[in-house]
Amino acid sequence: MRLSGQHLKLLQKTRLHLVKQKFIAFLLVFLGGFAVMILEIVGVRFLAKDFGGGFYVWTSQIGMVLVALALGYIAGGRLADRYQRAGYLIWLLLPAGLFILFIPDFAQRPIDWIVERHPEGEIPAVWRKLDPAIGSGVIFLLPCLALATLAPFMTRLMARRVSHVGTVSGMIYAASTVGSIAGVFGSAYLLIDMLEVPSIFRLTGGLTLGLCGLCCLLDQWMPNGQTRERGK
């Protein structure tokens, strides 16, 4: 009976750790998706003051964020296969958070250069299309790429068995997408009405830096030597 009691306590402790791990992993990808969409929506407002708020600006911003997501998914998957500790993501999230935090302080300079490099007069049609994409890429590509690494990385950490990869990946990307939905409506309906654009960037940068702490917390509940069953 004593051994059974000890075994039961160990089992309960293990289950509690698993619940904590899943909660932190889902929270990470939710907040990552939330932050990406804030950068996308509020980024259009930031670009609009120099490039206008027309079709090409929206197309450029959406396209660049999609490029960042694609590259981030590839990078996150490769990193997850090599480094199965969430703490390694700090090397991406920390500079990304600082970058976002200081967008209000430095971003206007490259945007001015993009706009002012044209001689006075009519801007050629091709550059009216491409300049917003260049501006979006310079400001938003790298931080969105870093945030996009979260979903594949968390999928790798949470998929304890090969037979569960489909379920885990579906839940991880669903949580990320729900975060993106919250980011779209939250930024468009609340944040832009309540705060200035620089303040939104600073809050998003602070949120991204906070993800570093969650990565460290996740590592505490996924100690070295934790076994993973494969092929079942």
Side-chain angles (χ1 to χ4, degrees):
M1 293 296 294
R2 183 177 179 183
L3 290 177
S4 298
Q6 290 177 345
H7 180 74
L8 181 60
K9 288 182 179 179
L10 180 60
L11 182 61
Q12 291 175 339
K13 185 177 180 180
T14 300
R15 287 179 176 175
L16 180 60
H17 276 292
L18 288 174
V19 170
K20 291 178 179 179
Q21 291 168 17
K22 290 179 180 180
F23 175 78
I24 295 297
F26 289 136
L27 183 61
L28 274 166
V29 296
F30 175 89
L31 293 176
F34 182 78
V36 168
M37 284 300 105
I38 289 178
L39 292 176
E40 181 172 345
I41 300 300
V42 179
V44 171
R45 176 65 67 91
F46 176 80
L47 295 171
K49 68 184 188 309
D50 293 292
F51 301 111
F55 175 76
Y56 295 126
V57 174
W58 277 101
T59 301
S60 298
Q61 184 71 343
I62 293 170
M64 279 299 163
V65 170
L66 289 174
V67 170
L69 291 177
L71 295 175
Y73 294 155
I74 294 172
R78 291 179 66 89
L79 289 171
D81 285 339
R82 186 172 182 181
Y83 307 108
Q84 296 179 34
R85 302 287 292 175
Y88 284 103
L89 288 174
I90 294 174
W91 293 99
L92 294 175
L93 296 174
L94 180 60
L98 293 174
F99 188 97
I100 299 168
L101 194 68
F102 292 108
I103 284 177
D105 299 308
F106 75 84
Q108 193 58 47
R109 294 185 185 90
I111 296 297
D112 287 343
W113 180 85
I114 293 169
V115 173
E116 294 171 1
R117 80 185 195 282
H118 299 291
E120 293 185 6
E122 177 119 358
I123 298 176
V126 65
W127 289 115
R128 289 202 299 271
K129 298 177 182 179
L130 294 180
D131 280 355
I134 296 171
S136 174
V138 169
I139 306 303
F140 300 106
L141 181 65
L142 291 179
C144 288
L145 188 157
L147 289 163
T149 62
L150 285 166
F153 207 101
M154 291 303 112
T155 299
R156 179 67 177 84
L157 292 185
M158 293 296 105
R160 297 173 58 83
R161 296 191 177 115
V162 173
S163 61
H164 293 169
V165 170
T167 299
V168 171
S169 63
M171 294 179 67
I172 289 290
Y173 281 92
S176 177
T177 302
V178 171
S180 297
I181 294 169
V184 168
F185 289 107
S187 57
Y189 293 166
L190 295 175
L191 294 179
I192 289 177
D193 290 338
M194 297 171 59
L195 300 170
E196 298 292 331
V197 169
S199 298
I200 298 174
F201 283 137
R202 296 196 194 282
L203 286 175
T204 308
L207 173 63
T208 304
L209 293 175
L211 298 181
C212 297
L214 288 178
C215 288
C216 292
L217 189 59
L218 181 58
D219 275 349
Q220 289 183 0
W221 290 328
M222 297 187 70
N224 285 320
Q226 179 178 3
T227 60
R228 285 179 169 78
E229 299 180 50
R230 302 179 187 276
K232 293 185 180 181

